[in-house]
Amino acid sequence: MTVGTGMSIVTCDIAVSLDGFAAGPHPTRELPFGDVVGTGEVLHSWMFDHHADDHRQEIAAILDAGAYVMGRGMFSPDTGPWDLDWTGWWGDEPPYRAPVLVLTHHERAPLTLGETTFHFVTGGLEDAMARARHAAGDRPVSVAGGAGLVNQCLRAGVIDELRLHVVPAVLDVPGATRLFDGVGRHDLEAVGARWTPEVTHLTYRRRAD
Amino acid sequence: MTVGTGMSIVTCDIAVSLDGFAAGPHPTRELPFGDVVGTGEVLHSWMFDHHADDHRQEIAAILDAGAYVMGRGMFSPDTGPWDLDWTGWWGDEPPYRAPVLVLTHHERAPLTLGETTFHFVTGGLEDAMARARHAAGDRPVSVAGGAGLVNQCLRAGVIDELRLHVVPAVLDVPGATRLFDGVGRHDLEAVGARWTPEVTHLTYRRRAD
């Protein structure tokens, strides 16, 4: 095992509306980003289709991680025990191509889809982060969302670099989780911003203690 | 009276934390931006002191309006009838140098401080906007805040250009008004962004109907 600079950094990318929503209130198997009309398209179309070329560097940064930590809601809208017949929204070739640690209360054997293996972690955030750091080695660990997991990570102080992808819409979704709700006070370092018509990319780092 | 392009545009500048707070929950006469330690300084220091030079164009744009509409909380933390012995936070030379229409439930005679006259409007937002447009002529009308008034204006659809000045801090202030709370869905046009270490300036326009 190569040991380089020590612990890898923890990054977090999340696409949000101007008012901090990353999804509607009730994602379903058919509508991963919630039942607000167009929520998913408004938040994520910059990553797909012809827009993706304009955001190549940000997409590459997201996919540069050596492991990912993901909230269960990013993998499945179902609650309770797993329905093993349904393998999530990510299709046969999820983009991660690295271990993805999915936080859940329900045990499940690892699931490999294409070059990505989802591991289901029931030991809480600390356990998931430890396993992600181990898997990532010197490469970044990425917190993949959703907003609830990002808030949990902010409260726990584990995010080194927060990359917000802010779309020019106010969604105002009652009942959905809003980024930064209840995370406490954080003074960050503004590292940079890149404006595009579809999304403004804002990068923040945790200030040195 | 000169009639140029017709109605002046309505702009709105507001300095907010990453989570959309523009003040703490309990402003006082001594602490205009609320009782969260440093709230006002975190949000507004870029406008003052040595930082102001770095934000000359944004400050000039704020002060370019021909009239301002302001929530009562931006003028006084007191509720109820006016205490005429106290003339607000703005000192002898408020920066506006134009009519400022302050929305309030309590009548008060106009108050001139330096080159700025505050007019106290009890007829609601529509009345205040009409008077501001009349006073501004062809120049912009500026919605000066706070967050409650901005939300009211967004709900009413009167803001043409929204200029957010986002400081790199999460304040998470329970009980304070959060920008965009309850304003409904808005799809905006992202016009531009300018990054600085102290604040990122983001400009949005209402999309043509």
Side-chain angles (χ1 to χ4, degrees):
Chain A
M1 180 181 167
T2 305
V3 178
T5 55
M7 262 198 195
S8 60
I9 71 157
V10 178
T11 61
C12 174
D13 285 273
I14 188 161
V16 286
S17 62
L18 271 166
D19 52 341
F21 290 104
H26 302 299
T28 65
R29 289 186 180 188
E30 293 72 34
L31 292 170
F33 293 103
D35 63 4
V36 176
V37 176
T39 306
E41 188 174 321
V42 166
L43 290 167
H44 302 102
S45 67
W46 61 273
M47 293 185 191
F48 302 110
D49 309 327
H50 63 286
H51 289 310
D53 271 358
D54 300 329
H55 309 278
R56 198 180 293 275
Q57 70 195 76
E58 288 81 12
I59 293 169
I62 295 171
L63 298 178
D64 184 48
Y68 296 82
V69 177
M70 179 180 281
R72 169 159 180 171
M74 283 274 290
F75 185 82
S76 166
D78 303 334
T79 55
W82 294 100
D83 171 1
L84 300 181
D85 290 335
W86 193 71
T87 55
W89 288 297
W90 297 101
D92 295 336
E93 285 288 352
Y96 299 107
R97 301 176 182 218
V100 178
L101 290 302
V102 179
L103 271 111
T104 169
H105 295 293
H106 298 275
E107 305 270 357
R108 179 172 181 172
L111 172 68
T112 297
L113 298 168
E115 297 174 55
T116 299
T117 298
F118 294 92
H119 301 268
F120 301 90
V121 181
T122 57
L125 179 62
E126 202 171 339
D127 184 24
M129 291 302 303
R131 290 177 62 179
R133 285 185 195 278
H134 181 78
D138 283 348
R139 292 175 64 196
V141 169
S142 171
V143 175
L149 176 63
V150 176
N151 288 350
Q152 188 182 354
C153 288
L154 287 166
R155 279 193 296 272
V158 301
I159 295 173
D160 298 304
E161 184 164 300
L162 176 64
R163 303 188 292 229
L164 302 180
H165 309 281
V166 181
V167 301
V170 176
L171 291 178
D172 190 23
V173 192
T177 302
R178 199 166 168 182
L179 187 65
F180 299 128
D181 261 354
V183 303
R185 168 81 179 258
H186 295 265
D187 291 295
L188 303 171
E189 180 190 359
V191 176
R194 193 172 80 84
W195 174 88
T196 77
E198 300 89 25
V199 60
T200 300
H201 306 288
L202 303 174
T203 303
Y204 296 91
R205 290 212 187 110
R206 182 163 45 182
R207 288 189 181 279
D209 293 329
Chain B
M1 182 180 165
T2 305
V3 177
T5 55
M7 262 197 194
S8 60
I9 72 158
V10 177
T11 61
C12 174
D13 286 272
I14 188 162
V16 287
S17 62
L18 271 166
D19 51 342
F21 290 104
H26 302 299
T28 65
R29 289 188 181 187
E30 293 72 34
L31 291 170
F33 293 104
D35 64 5
V36 176
V37 176
T39 307
E41 189 173 320
V42 166
L43 290 167
H44 302 101
S45 67
W46 61 273
M47 292 185 191
F48 302 109
D49 309 329
H50 63 286
H51 289 311
D53 270 357
D54 298 331
H55 308 279
R56 198 181 293 276
Q57 69 195 76
E58 288 82 12
I59 293 169
I62 295 171
L63 298 178
D64 184 47
Y68 296 82
V69 177
M70 179 181 281
R72 169 160 179 170
M74 282 276 287
F75 185 82
S76 165
D78 304 333
T79 55
W82 294 101
D83 171 1
L84 300 181
D85 290 336
W86 193 71
T87 55
W89 288 297
W90 297 100
D92 295 336
E93 285 289 352
Y96 299 107
R97 301 176 181 217
V100 178
L101 290 301
V102 179
L103 271 111
T104 169
H105 295 293
H106 299 274
E107 305 269 357
R108 180 173 182 172
L111 173 68
T112 297
L113 297 168
E115 297 173 57
T116 299
T117 298
F118 294 92
H119 301 268
F120 302 90
V121 181
T122 56
L125 179 62
E126 202 171 338
D127 184 24
M129 291 302 302
R131 291 176 62 178
R133 286 185 196 277
H134 182 78
D138 283 349
R139 293 174 64 196
V141 169
S142 170
V143 175
L149 175 63
V150 176
N151 288 350
Q152 188 182 354
C153 289
L154 286 166
R155 279 192 297 270
V158 300
I159 295 173
D160 298 304
E161 183 165 300
L162 176 63
R163 302 189 292 229
L164 302 180
H165 309 282
V166 182
V167 302
V170 177
L171 292 178
D172 190 22
V173 191
T177 302
R178 199 166 169 181
L179 187 65
F180 298 128
D181 262 352
V183 303
R185 169 81 179 258
H186 296 265
D187 291 295
L188 303 172
E189 180 191 357
V191 175
R194 193 173 79 84
W195 174 88
T196 77
E198 300 90 26
V199 60
T200 300
H201 306 289
L202 302 174
T203 303
Y204 296 92
R205 291 213 187 110
R206 181 163 47 180
R207 287 188 181 279
D209 293 330

